[in-house]
Amino acid sequence: MKFSEQWLREWVSPQLDVQGLADQITMAGLEVDAIEPAAALFSGVVVGEVVSKEPHPNADKLSLCQVEDGSGELAQVVCGAPNVAAGQKVPFARVGAVLPGDFTIKKAKLRGVESRGMICSASELGMAEETSSGILELPADAPVGEDFRAWMGLDDHCVEVDLTPNRGDCLSIKGLAREVGVLNRLAVEGPSTEPVASCHDETFAVRVEDAERCPRYIGRLIKGVDVTAETPLWMVERLRRSGLRSIDAVVDVTNYVMLELGQPLHAFDRANLQGTVIVRLAREGEQLVLLDGQTVALRNDTLVIADERGPLAIAGVMGGEHSGVNAATSDIFLESAFFSALAVAGQARTYGLHTDASHRFERGVDPRLTSEAVERATWLLVDIAGGKPGPLVEARNDDHLPGEREVRLRAARLEQALGKGLPAEEVADILERLGMAVTASADGWQIRVPSWRFDIAIEEDLIEEVARIHGYNRLPVRRPKARLGLRADHEARVPLSRLRRQMVARGYQEAVTYSFVAPELQAVLLPDAVSPRLANPISSDLSVMRASLFPGLVRALEYNLNRQQNRVRLFEAGLVFRGELDALEQTPMLGALVSGPREPEGWAGGRERVDFFDLKGDLESLIGLGGEPESWRFEPAGHPALHPGQSARILHRGEAVGWIGTLHPGVRARLGLRSDALLFEVRQEALTQGRIAAFSPLSRYPEVRRDLAFLVDESLPVQALLDTLRTHAGEWLTESRLFDVYRGKGVPQGRKSVALGLTWQHPSRTLNDEEINQLVDAIVAESQQHLGAELRG
């Protein structure tokens, strides 16, 4: 919100300079971002009058003007502006004047004719960013000879305030003045907004079909408006100092009232309205050409203002080009409405828009401003552009209008939060000056919240208000005292920090990606995923909650590949969101992605690319931290984002907890990735579960090892073979290791040779061959019977 200091001081003027005022409102929670002068420095410029204009004798595009500057003598000036004319009041720089850029006006000869002074444009005086096309024309009542800077009030400041989203009530001069008045115990005096008398009885019908989103809609037909009327210079200047440019009288008035009171307004050309003004949801397939010229396809969740032919505007965002005011407009339908914040929230961004109106409606607009704003705008329009106003037409549904809210504030809770007790009179005074109705109770106060404070709903909100008005810098500084016990250390759990350190030790870098992802990306990776869609997203490509860590990691990979990083190792720990909002599951997950060469570039390193078993080994190193590797399984299964033959479901204690595999080639092609990628994602809860380490005495007796080579079907997982031998290898088996997998000569088609090394050791004696042979025979027999395995000779 950008505002003029002088404009604010017309409402309330504390005895503070602009910096003191900025510091005060910053300490009250309204952070000031910048303070800039309203115009560049210049001197020696007065209000002048062009008495005569003649063609320059030696130049076709120059004029010879005689200017009265209040000194009693006419000054001859050579002027090249195309809009200069006799009888105009203009800003005139006398000889000796200093213009912005330290440019001094001197006597000069232009094409052989003497020129004493300069008729100035707005840009030459630092009052416009773009180069002006002509001189600045002043009102006819401008006093000749008066210092132009003082007459225009250019010794002003433009103050930019960065408001938090909960303080939408301060997005106006009225709201800011209310805050400054409270802070300085001053009365606030704004312009009168008395009802305007109707000049005719003609109205325009209004129908609201969605009262929940638009519980109040007011319209007024104003006939005979002169749209070509010139906007007064004082209004143009106030708009400029607030960051808006002048367009035409009607638009300028609606913008002015929005800045002054905080209520967005819109004016329709009556000639382009048909039938009834209808507030409804858009229908699928409807299109609208907006005021900025772009055509948007409306969604059926968008609230629109329409007539019998179709949409006229996106409610609370932007009007349509067809129904907008133009130079031929004579009758206007002035709209002032209250739209619920949820109806407007996020709508502008989904269409790639952000307007002053949507910015205010998204944060909440006072529902009582609706009629006040339309009356104020009518007064200004009639005064500037003429016209005959008709009666107000109102559609209202009190059931959906925000009702009065009452919040209880306890004195004891207030003292506890602030660290000091405040007199009851001071607390009541602060809250009443903020516009609240205060009723004393046995243990504190009962507060009725004003209609413009949408952000006050609970006791803590009231405590914040008391604290900031009383002054944060006046609260005591106290160090808390507490007797803290040692936190219990769960020895059977692996902390997330240890998992992170393990991943870093294995060459990974931690990524932190948004919890929001593009719906198109999530649909490619997880076509069946259901997760909440944001009502007010940061941008259209961050509009759904992630149902997996995969989308964020894949986007991070794409970002790195686009910057010539061909070896990428990333991991991320974060929440994923699955299900609809009313039954949402939020699950902490740990995910990782690898791509590119196995080893960093170097003279001794190979060029082999990372594969499935590299990533699986990294995951198994995490599993090993818990001390229960035998409770984990990798089961072949299909995942829409992973390669059908190179993906597995991860099981922990028989429960599915994640996925691992190679990115599907089709997915990679659709995303335009130039490199293969492998990913895994596992529930943090499973990875952090483990068992307490315990010491096992070392046996003094020798180990016995047997190597077995089995011929099994190509499709048989090695894990099935390992499970069988561990079941039948007896209690003294200390290690089982896969040391070879062979396919080729000597092995039948469709079969593979799997070689396992088994080690036994007894804690109290030496095992004999007979015992070992019995165990081996049991393993072989069970493998043949249930797995179709053959012992390879």
Side-chain angles (χ1 to χ4, degrees):
M1 170 69 184
K2 192 175 182 180
F3 68 92
S4 157
E5 179 195 0
Q6 288 181 0
W7 193 3
L8 178 68
R9 289 188 184 276
E10 288 187 8
W11 288 68
V12 58
S13 185
Q15 297 300 311
L16 297 169
D17 61 11
V18 66
Q19 188 60 56
L21 180 63
D23 293 342
Q24 185 183 62
I25 64 178
T26 295
M27 286 301 297
L30 311 178
E31 182 182 357
V32 172
D33 271 356
I35 303 173
E36 300 173 349
L41 289 176
F42 61 84
S43 62
V45 180
V46 298
V47 176
E49 181 178 4
V50 180
V51 176
S52 65
K53 171 193 171 183
E54 298 176 359
H56 190 288
N58 303 319
D60 294 338
K61 294 184 178 181
L62 298 178
S63 302
L64 191 61
C65 302
Q66 300 295 325
V67 178
E68 170 63 50
D69 64 355
S71 63
E73 295 183 3
L74 296 179
Q76 179 174 280
V77 179
V78 176
C79 180
N83 63 327
V84 68
Q88 286 178 336
K89 299 290 182 67
V90 293
F92 177 66
R94 291 168 170 165
V95 173
V98 180
L99 300 187
D102 202 24
F103 176 66
T104 303
I105 301 298
K106 301 176 182 178
K107 289 183 180 180
K109 280 192 175 183
L110 299 176
R111 294 293 183 95
V113 177
E114 186 180 64
S115 179
R116 302 191 307 275
M118 176 178 172
I119 302 174
C120 303
S121 68
S123 58
E124 288 166 340
L125 296 175
M127 297 171 60
E129 293 183 3
E130 299 177 358
T131 302
S132 303
S133 58
I135 61 169
L136 177 61
E137 298 182 48
L138 304 182
D141 59 354
V144 175
E146 187 82 12
D147 182 82
F148 176 76
R149 189 176 190 89
W151 180 74
M152 283 289 292
L154 293 177
D155 292 323
D156 187 13
H157 295 89
C158 301
V159 183
E160 189 167 353
V161 181
D162 185 12
L163 296 171
T164 51
N166 64 316
R167 293 310 306 271
D169 62 295
C170 291
L171 285 167
S172 64
I173 294 294
K174 181 179 183 178
L176 288 168
R178 198 160 43 208
E179 284 289 301
V180 173
V182 170
L183 293 170
N184 294 280
R185 297 178 178 272
L186 295 174
V188 177
E189 298 179 1
S192 173
T193 53
E194 295 296 323
V196 178
S198 298
C199 297
H200 61 84
D201 296 330
E202 189 174 344
T203 60
F204 200 84
V206 172
R207 184 172 79 247
V208 176
E209 295 182 355
D210 196 328
E212 183 177 356
R213 289 179 170 86
C214 178
R216 192 177 189 193
Y217 188 97
I218 293 177
R220 165 174 276 157
L221 184 62
I222 304 177
K223 303 175 71 175
V225 174
D226 181 10
V227 178
T228 62
E230 187 174 352
T231 304
L233 187 58
W234 63 266
M235 181 178 286
V236 172
E237 267 297 288
R238 286 186 174 178
L239 292 174
R240 180 186 72 82
R241 297 179 199 184
S242 300
L244 298 179
R245 63 183 180 87
S246 174
I247 297 175
D248 61 52
V250 176
V251 175
D252 290 349
V253 165
T254 57
N255 283 338
Y256 182 85
V257 174
M258 178 185 67
L259 292 172
E260 183 180 67
L261 302 180
Q263 170 70 49
L265 303 169
H266 186 67
F268 296 99
D269 184 346
R270 169 63 182 86
N272 291 322
L273 301 182
Q274 181 173 316
T276 302
V277 168
I278 308 166
V279 184
R280 61 170 173 82
L281 288 176
R283 302 184 180 102
E284 204 67 47
E286 287 186 323
Q287 292 188 339
L288 177 65
V289 181
L290 299 173
L291 284 172
D292 62 1
Q294 68 168 307
T295 302
V296 294
L298 300 171
R299 301 187 311 275
N300 57 11
D301 64 344
T302 302
L303 190 69
V304 298
I305 312 301
D307 63 4
E308 302 294 349
R309 289 180 296 190
L312 304 171
I314 300 178
V317 179
M318 186 181 285
E321 185 178 66
H322 172 72
S323 60
V325 174
N326 55 66
T329 300
S330 61
D331 301 341
I332 66 169
F333 181 71
L334 185 62
E335 166 196 279
S336 180
F338 172 75
F339 302 112
S340 71
L342 289 177
V344 181
Q347 292 291 344
R349 287 186 182 88
T350 60
Y351 291 107
L353 303 170
H354 181 75
T355 64
D356 291 317
S358 68
H359 187 75
R360 285 164 172 77
F361 280 123
E362 286 175 349
R363 286 153 178 77
V365 173
D366 183 359
R368 296 186 180 180
L369 272 179
T370 315
S371 56
E372 180 183 349
V374 77
E375 296 289 3
R376 173 68 170 149
T378 303
W379 276 111
L380 291 170
L381 271 173
V382 171
D383 184 53
I384 295 170
K388 297 179 180 180
L392 291 179
V393 177
E394 181 173 9
R396 176 174 178 149
N397 188 311
D398 290 331
D399 293 339
H400 294 294
L401 278 170
E404 289 188 344
R405 286 160 290 144
E406 289 199 358
V407 183
R408 176 189 174 202
L409 176 60
R410 295 166 292 169
R413 179 71 183 93
L414 178 65
E415 182 176 352
Q416 179 191 35
L418 301 187
K420 66 182 289 187
L422 297 180
E425 297 78 13
E426 182 181 353
V427 175
D429 177 61
I430 288 173
L431 295 174
E432 286 172 350
R433 284 189 286 124
L434 285 166
M436 304 181 195
V438 181
T439 304
S441 62
D443 61 348
W445 304 268
Q446 196 70 22
I447 312 299
R448 190 164 67 249
V449 181
S451 59
W452 62 83
R453 290 305 298 270
F454 287 88
D455 59 316
I456 296 178
I458 58 177
E459 186 176 36
E460 284 70 17
D461 297 330
L462 293 173
I463 293 172
E464 178 191 359
E465 293 301 299
V466 173
R468 71 184 188 85
I469 302 301
H470 175 74
Y472 293 125
N473 54 342
R474 296 172 61 192
L475 298 178
V477 178
R478 295 179 180 173
R479 294 177 178 85
K481 296 180 180 179
R483 293 182 178 180
L484 303 177
L486 294 175
R487 186 175 61 182
D489 186 10
H490 300 285
E491 295 183 52
R493 297 191 67 82
V494 180
L496 179 60
S497 59
R498 190 177 176 194
L499 297 175
R500 283 189 166 110
R501 288 196 300 270
Q502 178 71 5
M503 292 298 286
V504 171
R506 296 185 73 87
Y508 287 78
Q509 292 180 310
E510 184 170 8
V512 180
T513 65
Y514 281 109
S515 297
F516 323 122
V517 296
E520 300 81 10
L521 175 61
Q522 184 151 287
V524 171
L525 293 168
L526 308 159
D528 300 324
V530 176
S531 63
R533 179 179 289 274
L534 301 182
N536 188 17
I538 299 172
S539 63
S540 58
D541 60 347
L542 294 171
S543 59
V544 297
M545 303 297 286
R546 65 185 179 193
S548 166
L549 297 178
F550 286 173
L553 290 171
V554 168
R555 275 288 174 248
L557 170 64
E558 180 184 33
Y559 184 89
N560 280 274
L561 291 176
N562 289 340
R563 285 154 182 80
Q564 292 79 49
Q565 300 299 313
N566 65 338
R567 185 175 187 269
V568 179
R569 274 168 161 69
L570 300 172
F571 78 94
E572 179 173 15
L575 290 172
V576 300
F577 308 86
R578 298 186 179 114
E580 299 293 349
L581 194 59
D582 54 353
L584 185 63
E585 293 182 10
Q586 302 182 56
T587 309
M589 304 290 284
L590 181 72
L593 178 146
V594 294
S595 178
R598 177 175 292 137
E599 300 291 339
E601 185 178 12
W603 67 271
R607 296 185 178 180
E608 298 87 356
R609 299 188 71 78
V610 69
D611 62 21
F612 178 90
F613 297 102
D614 292 311
L615 183 64
K616 184 170 179 282
D618 293 333
L619 176 56
E620 287 176 335
S621 76
L622 297 180
I623 291 171
L625 297 177
E628 281 190 312
E630 68 280 358
S631 66
W632 291 78
R633 295 286 183 275
F634 293 85
E635 177 184 275
H639 185 285
L642 303 177
H643 195 297
Q646 300 177 37
S647 62
R649 181 183 287 112
I650 304 170
L651 306 175
H652 178 242
R653 297 175 182 172
E655 181 184 357
V657 295
W659 289 90
I660 183 170
T662 303
L663 190 64
H664 196 294
V667 171
R668 184 164 66 89
R670 290 179 64 183
L671 298 178
L673 294 176
R674 304 187 306 273
S675 175
D676 277 335
L678 299 106
L679 309 97
F680 76 69
E681 180 181 49
V682 187
R683 287 186 192 171
Q684 289 182 26
E685 182 184 13
L687 286 171
T688 56
Q689 290 180 17
R691 62 184 172 200
I692 298 175
F695 173 72
S696 297
L698 299 177
S699 176
R700 296 180 299 165
Y701 298 93
E703 296 178 342
V704 179
R705 171 162 173 156
R706 294 286 189 274
D707 292 343
L708 302 177
F710 290 97
L711 288 175
V712 297
D713 288 342
E714 182 70 43
S715 61
L716 181 74
V718 173
Q719 186 66 52
L721 199 58
L722 290 171
D723 291 342
T724 299
L725 67 88
R726 285 170 183 163
T727 304
H728 295 85
E731 58 181 313
W732 306 314
L733 181 72
T734 58
E735 184 180 17
S736 59
R737 178 173 297 179
L738 171 69
F739 65 85
D740 184 55
V741 177
Y742 173 72
R743 302 172 183 83
K745 187 176 180 181
V747 175
Q749 187 74 20
R751 305 278 278 182
K752 62 185 175 184
S753 172
V754 177
L756 305 169
L758 309 178
T759 303
W760 287 269
Q761 187 178 33
H762 199 283
S764 58
R765 65 181 177 84
T766 301
L767 295 170
N768 56 51
D769 287 343
E770 184 179 350
E771 291 174 307
I772 299 300
N773 289 337
Q774 288 178 355
L775 294 173
V776 170
D777 291 342
I779 292 169
V780 172
E782 187 69 18
S783 300
Q784 288 176 339
Q785 182 176 353
H786 291 95
L787 303 178
E790 301 175 23
L791 193 63
R792 187 179 176 197

